[in-house]
Structures are given as C-alpha cells and as structure tokens.
Amino acid sequence: MIALILFGPPGSGKGTQAAKLMDKYGLIHISTGDLFRYEMGNNTPLGLEAKSYMEKGQLVPDSVTIGMLRNKVEAHPEAKGFIFDGFPRTLAQSVALDSLLAEQGAEVSGLIMLDVSDDEITRRILGRGLVSGRADDLDEAIIRKRIEVYKNETSPVFDYYHQKGKSHQIFGIGTIDDIFERLCATIEGFEAEPHGE
Ligand code: AMP
C-alpha cells in the first residue's frame, strides 16, 4: 500500500497537487481540513467543535482529529493507497498514523514537503479566500496564526519522518505542472531509496 504524506504550510498547494496525484496513482485523497469543512457545512457536533478552533487558526484537538482520520481510512479497506493532506500536523498524530497503518501491515511510504516562502503563501491564501470565501483565508491575523502554528506544532512532523529516512522536500514555486513533475519524480524514487538511519 502507498501512504503518502503531502506536507507543507497552509497555502503551499497541497490540495491542488493531491487532486492530480489521486488521478495519476489511483489513491484515496484524505484532507482533514476538507473533512472538517464538510462537517461544519452540515452543522454536525464534530463540525461545530472544529469550527471553534478553525476560526482562530488553531489546531483541532488530536483526539478529535485522529478519530475522524481513523474512520475515514477504515472506510476504504480496498484502497490501493492514500494521500494524506493536512495530516499529520502534530507528533501525536504522526504516532497515531504509524500505528493505524501498522495494524494494516502498512507504513508511511514517504513525506513530501512543498517548500514555499511565508510571503508567497500569504499572497496565495488571500487570493484563494476571495474565491472560496473561507473565513480563515480572508483574515490576515488568522493566516499569520496558522503559519505560526505550522512552524511551532507541525514542522516537528518533518523531523520525525526525517529520522526514519522518509522526509523529502521540493521547491513549491512554479507552475502547477512543474511542481507536479517534481512530486512524481520524488514519489517514483521512494522504492529506490534505503530507509532508516
Ligand atoms: P487546511 O484546510 O488543511 O488548511 O485546514 C484548515 C483548518 O482545519 C486548520 O487551520 C485547523 O484548524 C483544522 N485542521 C485541519 N487538519 C487538521 C489536523 N490534522 N489537525 C488539527 N487541525 C486540523
């Protein structure tokens, strides 16, 4: 099974690239942000809880997020593999993902970070907000908070998988197709590389 973590700050292009990777490799795309927005749109208890964190640019608690992710993975026993987009965002989520995959005799194949500067992501997110109407994309203070949360709470996930020999980084600026090519080249190199150390 392929289990790919698409990693990077908010606005780095994870969702756009995940949609293309899903088509090319026949993987199931799981975006925890999209799942929370779906729940919010339906005013479910989970959605209402998530909303109180999302509108401040904070992370939804691990217990809630991990439970939701587990349900989604377990709903696809036939899957050839998964692209995780926006998950894991904390070390606890990384450990939970590893054990969930281990239960299925699988493991993370690799993590790829899209490297984009703070100025560029702020510009992209504000542009996306005008189209999507996402409240957390329209307010510069919330965007700054999300970037800070990424640096403090989420970037250790890169190091966690780096220690397992699984973290990769690509330059995330260029055309959508350029970045997609860089991603595919990295994915196709996964098997060739020794893991560990
Ligand atoms: P995203 O669409 O990935 O930018 O996520 C939007 C918001 O959803 C984030 O700012 C968090 O509030 C929440 N969220 C999404 N994924 C996670 C996660 N893995 N852990 C905690 N909160 C999350």
Side-chain angles (χ1 to χ4, degrees), residues 182-195:
R182 289 174 209 149
L183 272 172
C184 294
T186 307
I187 291 168
E188 278 149 34
F190 279 175
E191 294 305 318
E193 286 173 24
H195 281 169

Side-chain angles (χ1 to χ4, degrees), residues 66-88:
I66 291 167
M68 180 180 74
L69 189 278
R70 172 177 281 274
N71 289 339
K72 194 72 187 174
V73 169
E74 289 179 348
H76 293 281
E78 79 302 340
K80 188 174 148 197
F82 295 93
I83 305 172
F84 298 102
D85 159 7
F87 184 95

Side-chain angles (χ1 to χ4, degrees), residues 48-63:
L48 292 173
E49 181 173 5
K51 186 172 186 225
S52 62
Y53 296 94
M54 291 169 78
E55 64 191 13
K56 294 192 211 104
Q58 296 169 350
L59 295 183
V60 179
D62 284 336
S63 55

Side-chain angles (χ1 to χ4, degrees), residues 9-16 37 121-134 136-138 143 146:
S12 56
K14 301 186 293 293
T16 305
R37 281 184 286 279
I121 59 181
T122 306
R123 197 183 62 74
R124 286 189 194 175
I125 294 174
L126 287 168
R128 178 174 71 185
L130 294 177
V131 180
S132 72
R134 266 178 67 174
D136 62 343
D137 281 350
L138 284 164
I143 297 172
R146 288 161 67 200

